[in-house]
Amino acid sequence: MPKIKEPTLLLNTDICKRNIRSMNNRVKQWGGYFRPHFKTHQSAQIGEWYKSEGVESITVSSFKMARYFALNGWNDITVALTATILNVDIINDLASKINLNILVEDNATIYALEAALDHPVGVFIKADTGYHRTGIDVSDLSVVKFVLNELKDKKKLIFIGFLTHAGNTYKCKKESEIIEITQNSLNKFLSLKAFLKDDFPLMQLSWGDTPSCSVFDNFYGVDEFRPGNFVFYDYMQSLIGSCMLTDIAVCLAAPVLAVHPVRNEMVMHAGAVHLSKDFVVLEDGTKSYGKAIRISNGKWDVDTVIGEVTSLSQEHGVISLKQNYYSDLNPGDVIGILPVHSCLTANLMKEFLTEDGNLISMME
Amino acid sequence: MPKIKEPTLLLNTDICKRNIRSMNNRVKQWGGYFRPHFKTHQSAQIGEWYKSEGVESITVSSFKMARYFALNGWNDITVALTATILNVDIINDLASKINLNILVEDNATIYALEAALDHPVGVFIKADTGYHRTGIDVSDLSVVKFVLNELKDKKKLIFIGFLTHAGNTYKCKKESEIIEITQNSLNKFLSLKAFLKDDFPLMQLSWGDTPSCSVFDNFYGVDEFRPGNFVFYDYMQSLIGSCMLTDIAVCLAAPVLAVHPVRNEMVMHAGAVHLSKDFVVLEDGTKSYGKAIRISNGKWDVDTVIGEVTSLSQEHGVISLKQNYYSDLNPGDVIGILPVHSCLTANLMKEFLTEDGNLISMME
């Protein structure tokens, strides 16, 4: 293990591989197809661990990411970001090489893409089942039909089905809330199949989000599952109820810069450019940008809590030490931070250091 | 101008150069030394625009950034992040090549660095003048003396003076608040000089932060100024009172993905991995991650407001359209977002596109 001198994102490969195996098994038990989202790790090497579990198809959040994974041997990719006519060149390029699926949600784009594409691509209609970020509201069946009518006879855009992301589960605070939101969204989503089964008997339903896939078990009727964050989980997911702290596979190692016993604080070298400014609000009202714990020789222990990261500037973070905490930690020591949102932290750090001292790289 | 197809950080070079010239002139008027912070742009090419104004010395926020700018011709650099014994190798390397200044704030680190360094480096003591993030509280003169006593006779660590960052100005909502906080911090800071002038007649005071340097004018007694954000400014700085919207030199171009007239929203391809999750709270209580405006052919106009970015996920942003806003914008059109925090947005985007279609790169 190399000596850590600057903010470094540690990856516990055992936990990570266990998370992959566990989610793969869950999806198998439901009889579903696993198309994990790769936006969290963005790493060809971590992608190989999915291949070892038999995974052949993936989801990404941008065309740039699709290109990266296509270059790294993945030939069945869904880009889960609504496509527009601006993406024609890269769609044509990717669709000539791999099985590419895209997302649409408006008739003008469908019309324009059909005219501009050289190669056929699979198409999902983005469905809004309650998150209200993007997609067609599935309760409005007249709009669903209006878009399907535009799409159904196209030669380049091959209708596959509907795709939803019940991202409102991210606002949950416990398992029972996740289950309630999931059931509501799912009911809306499944009604699409009932409504359209005569005209589109092969239509697929694709489902996303880590919280629901981690705790819900009754997905009968859904064909495909696209969770992503579960590969690392994070502090936020542990508070939502998706995982335990011991399921978190990444931890930011950060040097201590100063200790301020008078105000019960510690300052570390790790800020918004390492962790991101995403935060959670704890039960007692504390706004936390990460949970500070001890690490030793690149290994962390979630039971050795130091405190919460209560403020972040560009390169600095302030840790409010837990009550009556006595510290033997000094400037130059290295502590660990369980990140609030592992997707954003990984995206900033761009590489992982494993317990064996190996560096795992991500997409540039 | 190349056609914009994905989130792209636009840079208006005229505004940027005007901001540099204007701040350089302000510091000259005060009779101060300008050592601008380069953490906002992190770009060797933009650094050259400072050189044209006669700037010879800079500030950076990490040793990694110091190495980048040293490789790009800068030979007088202050690393404004408290040093620890972990940084010995890079300090030795840099100090053998350039005039390097570092920050310290505790005796154990001073002792350890003195023993481990091969080359002399300039040293500032980090002073807390009210921000309470890091540094020695300047009101506590016994601690000041305690640290100075450790530092004063060292052979490798050459005491230069005190450095402060009155980052609490970032919480201001108008010019009068900035002036009040600045005056309070400044009074504390200047009292150091009065207290120590007999023993350390050459002692320097180094002052940071864009809000105070943008609106305050009575810095008599301060030797050096290190603002950084002013190079681009941003939406937050305009609300703090440091600048006008027309002084903002960067704007994120983002494709529209969907328009939802029913809920008066638009969805764009630009999320937390482009803008960062930093936000401002507007007067009416709206939490905004950026101000959405129109752009045309790579040029933006701050008077053509579309709405506010009210939520961000990894790659998506939702814009709440301003009241009674009628939109002729459609999926595939490109809009502009004035970023809340230009330092974090630039750090994520890693390059700038100028109005002439040139790409300006940043530190990797």
Side-chain angles (χ1 to χ4, degrees):
Chain A
M1 194 71 189
K3 188 168 170 62
I4 290 166
K5 297 179 179 178
E6 53 184 20
T8 304
L9 190 54
L10 304 176
L11 171 65
N12 183 314
T13 60
D14 289 337
I15 299 177
C16 182
K17 289 175 182 174
R18 184 182 79 203
N19 291 345
I20 294 170
R21 196 171 312 122
S22 160
M23 189 59 82
N24 191 35
N25 288 339
R26 286 178 63 76
V27 175
K28 268 189 199 157
Q29 275 166 24
W30 305 328
Y33 190 72
F34 193 29
R35 185 186 283 280
H37 209 311
F38 273 20
K39 70 174 179 155
T40 303
H41 61 79
Q42 299 180 42
S43 165
Q45 200 171 332
I46 294 176
E48 295 302 312
W49 303 345
Y50 285 81
K51 278 194 189 152
S52 314
E53 296 292 324
V55 174
E56 294 178 345
S57 307
I58 65 171
T59 308
V60 297
S61 58
S62 69
F63 284 98
K64 193 176 153 195
M65 210 181 287
R67 179 148 50 192
Y68 168 80
F69 283 109
L71 284 170
N72 282 284
W74 292 91
N75 43 37
D76 185 6
I77 302 178
T78 296
V79 179
L81 179 89
T82 301
T84 73
I85 191 65
L86 297 175
N87 309 122
V88 163
D89 294 340
I90 188 157
I91 294 174
N92 271 331
D93 179 43
L94 286 168
S96 71
K97 295 166 184 159
I98 64 164
N99 176 33
L100 181 73
N101 301 320
I102 64 171
L103 250 63
V104 297
E105 55 180 299
D106 78 281
N107 287 18
T109 300
I110 293 169
Y111 184 85
L113 284 176
E114 175 71 13
L117 291 182
D118 301 328
H119 296 272
V121 291
V123 175
F124 283 96
I125 294 175
K126 184 70 189 285
D128 177 4
T129 56
Y131 183 29
H132 300 324
R133 182 181 65 179
T134 184
I136 296 170
D137 186 340
V138 293
S139 320
D140 193 342
L141 295 172
S142 61
V143 177
V144 170
K145 280 212 147 178
F146 180 66
V147 177
L148 258 181
N149 275 339
E150 179 69 36
L151 182 58
K152 66 180 181 189
D153 297 322
K154 295 286 179 279
K155 301 287 177 278
K156 301 288 168 41
L157 301 178
I158 313 301
F159 174 62
I160 299 176
F162 291 83
L163 179 149
T164 196
H165 172 65
N168 38 349
T169 54
Y170 276 68
K171 289 173 188 153
C172 294
K173 295 277 182 204
K174 52 187 176 194
E175 202 177 309
S176 59
E177 287 178 22
I178 301 177
I179 291 172
E180 192 186 332
I181 286 181
T182 303
Q183 193 64 65
N184 284 340
S185 291
L186 194 59
N187 290 346
K188 288 189 199 171
F189 203 36
L190 292 172
S191 67
L192 272 181
K193 227 176 187 170
F195 177 66
L196 297 165
K197 68 171 187 288
D198 293 340
D199 292 335
F200 303 95
L202 298 176
M203 189 186 93
Q204 303 271 305
L205 293 183
S206 176
W207 181 271
D209 92 277
T210 280
S212 67
C213 291
S214 298
V215 307
F216 195 78
D217 271 309
N218 188 8
F219 282 111
Y220 183 79
V222 174
D223 302 283
E224 179 182 271
F225 297 86
R226 313 178 323 278
N229 174 283
F230 72 90
V231 65
F232 299 150
Y233 285 117
D234 51 36
Y235 191 21
M236 190 189 288
Q237 291 296 329
S238 79
L239 295 169
I240 288 173
S242 311
C243 68
M244 309 288 284
L245 287 175
T246 46
D247 297 321
I248 301 174
V250 287
C251 181
L252 186 76
V256 174
L257 299 182
V259 182
H260 297 284
V262 177
R263 48 180 196 266
N264 218 28
E265 285 178 354
M266 208 179 265
V267 180
M268 61 174 175
H269 181 200
V273 298
H274 309 101
L275 284 166
S276 96
K277 292 261 319 207
D278 228 345
F279 61 86
V280 287
V281 178
L282 305 180
E283 269 190 5
D284 65 359
T286 304
K287 202 169 162 181
S288 174
Y289 297 90
K291 193 176 210 43
I293 55 178
R294 282 173 184 266
I295 58 174
S296 164
N297 200 25
K299 290 207 161 74
W300 65 90
D301 179 350
V302 298
D303 291 327
T304 58
V305 177
I306 297 169
E308 300 289 335
V309 181
T310 48
S311 82
L312 279 187
S313 41
Q314 185 160 347
E315 296 264 356
H316 293 88
V318 175
I319 297 159
S320 295
L321 301 171
K322 66 179 189 181
Q323 242 182 344
N324 302 321
Y325 184 77
Y326 166 77
S327 175
D328 55 335
L329 291 165
N330 294 303
D333 288 337
V334 176
I335 58 170
I337 308 296
L338 295 175
V340 164
H341 193 163
S342 61
C343 311
L344 300 187
T345 302
N347 179 68
L348 283 159
M349 295 303 296
K350 296 287 178 219
E351 62 182 17
F352 309 93
L353 180 67
T354 72
E355 63 276 16
D356 307 318
N358 295 320
L359 273 180
I360 294 186
S361 64
M362 292 172 65
M363 184 176 91
E364 281 295 302
Chain B
M1 194 72 188
K3 189 167 169 61
I4 290 166
K5 297 179 180 177
E6 53 185 19
T8 304
L9 190 55
L10 305 176
L11 172 65
N12 182 313
T13 61
D14 289 337
I15 299 177
C16 182
K17 289 174 181 174
R18 184 181 79 202
N19 291 345
I20 294 171
R21 197 170 312 124
S22 160
M23 189 60 82
N24 190 35
N25 288 339
R26 285 177 65 75
V27 175
K28 268 189 199 157
Q29 275 168 23
W30 306 328
Y33 190 72
F34 193 29
R35 185 185 284 279
H37 210 310
F38 274 19
K39 70 175 179 155
T40 303
H41 61 80
Q42 297 180 42
S43 164
Q45 200 172 331
I46 294 176
E48 295 301 313
W49 303 345
Y50 286 81
K51 278 193 189 153
S52 314
E53 297 291 324
V55 174
E56 293 178 346
S57 307
I58 65 170
T59 308
V60 298
S61 58
S62 68
F63 285 98
K64 193 176 153 194
M65 210 181 288
R67 178 147 51 191
Y68 168 79
F69 283 109
L71 285 170
N72 283 284
W74 291 91
N75 44 38
D76 185 5
I77 302 179
T78 295
V79 180
L81 179 90
T82 300
T84 73
I85 191 66
L86 297 176
N87 309 122
V88 163
D89 294 340
I90 189 158
I91 293 173
N92 271 331
D93 180 43
L94 286 168
S96 71
K97 294 166 184 160
I98 63 164
N99 176 32
L100 180 73
N101 301 320
I102 64 170
L103 250 62
V104 298
E105 56 180 298
D106 78 280
N107 287 18
T109 300
I110 292 168
Y111 184 86
L113 283 177
E114 175 71 13
L117 291 181
D118 301 327
H119 296 272
V121 290
V123 174
F124 283 95
I125 295 175
K126 183 70 189 284
D128 177 3
T129 55
Y131 183 28
H132 300 323
R133 183 181 64 181
T134 183
I136 295 170
D137 187 340
V138 292
S139 320
D140 193 341
L141 294 172
S142 62
V143 177
V144 170
K145 280 213 147 178
F146 180 67
V147 178
L148 257 181
N149 275 339
E150 179 68 37
L151 183 58
K152 67 181 182 189
D153 297 322
K154 295 287 179 280
K155 300 288 177 281
K156 302 288 168 42
L157 300 178
I158 313 300
F159 174 62
I160 300 176
F162 291 82
L163 179 149
T164 195
H165 171 65
N168 36 351
T169 54
Y170 276 68
K171 289 175 188 152
C172 294
K173 295 279 182 202
K174 52 187 177 194
E175 203 175 308
S176 59
E177 287 178 22
I178 300 177
I179 291 173
E180 192 187 331
I181 287 181
T182 303
Q183 193 65 65
N184 284 341
S185 291
L186 194 58
N187 291 346
K188 288 190 199 169
F189 203 36
L190 292 173
S191 67
L192 272 182
K193 225 174 187 171
F195 177 67
L196 298 166
K197 69 172 188 288
D198 293 340
D199 292 335
F200 304 95
L202 298 176
M203 188 187 93
Q204 304 271 307
L205 293 183
S206 175
W207 182 271
D209 91 277
T210 281
S212 68
C213 292
S214 298
V215 306
F216 195 78
D217 271 309
N218 189 8
F219 281 111
Y220 183 78
V222 174
D223 301 283
E224 179 181 270
F225 297 86
R226 313 177 325 277
N229 174 284
F230 73 89
V231 65
F232 299 149
Y233 284 117
D234 51 35
Y235 191 20
M236 190 189 288
Q237 291 295 330
S238 79
L239 295 169
I240 288 173
S242 311
C243 69
M244 309 288 284
L245 287 177
T246 46
D247 296 321
I248 301 174
V250 287
C251 181
L252 186 76
V256 175
L257 298 182
V259 183
H260 296 284
V262 176
R263 48 181 196 263
N264 218 28
E265 285 178 356
M266 208 179 265
V267 180
M268 63 175 174
H269 180 200
V273 298
H274 309 101
L275 284 166
S276 95
K277 293 263 312 208
D278 228 346
F279 61 86
V280 287
V281 178
L282 305 180
E283 268 190 7
D284 65 0
T286 304
K287 202 170 163 182
S288 175
Y289 297 90
K291 193 177 208 46
I293 56 178
R294 282 173 184 265
I295 57 174
S296 165
N297 199 24
K299 291 207 159 75
W300 65 90
D301 179 351
V302 298
D303 291 327
T304 58
V305 177
I306 296 169
E308 301 289 335
V309 181
T310 48
S311 83
L312 279 187
S313 42
Q314 185 161 347
E315 297 264 354
H316 292 89
V318 175
I319 297 159
S320 296
L321 301 171
K322 66 178 189 181
Q323 242 182 342
N324 302 321
Y325 184 77
Y326 166 77
S327 175
D328 55 335
L329 291 164
N330 294 302
D333 289 336
V334 176
I335 58 170
I337 308 296
L338 295 175
V340 164
H341 193 163
S342 60
C343 311
L344 300 187
T345 303
N347 180 69
L348 284 159
M349 295 302 297
K350 295 288 177 218
E351 62 182 17
F352 309 94
L353 181 66
T354 72
E355 62 277 16
D356 308 318
N358 295 320
L359 273 180
I360 294 186
S361 64
M362 292 171 65
M363 184 176 90
E364 281 296 301

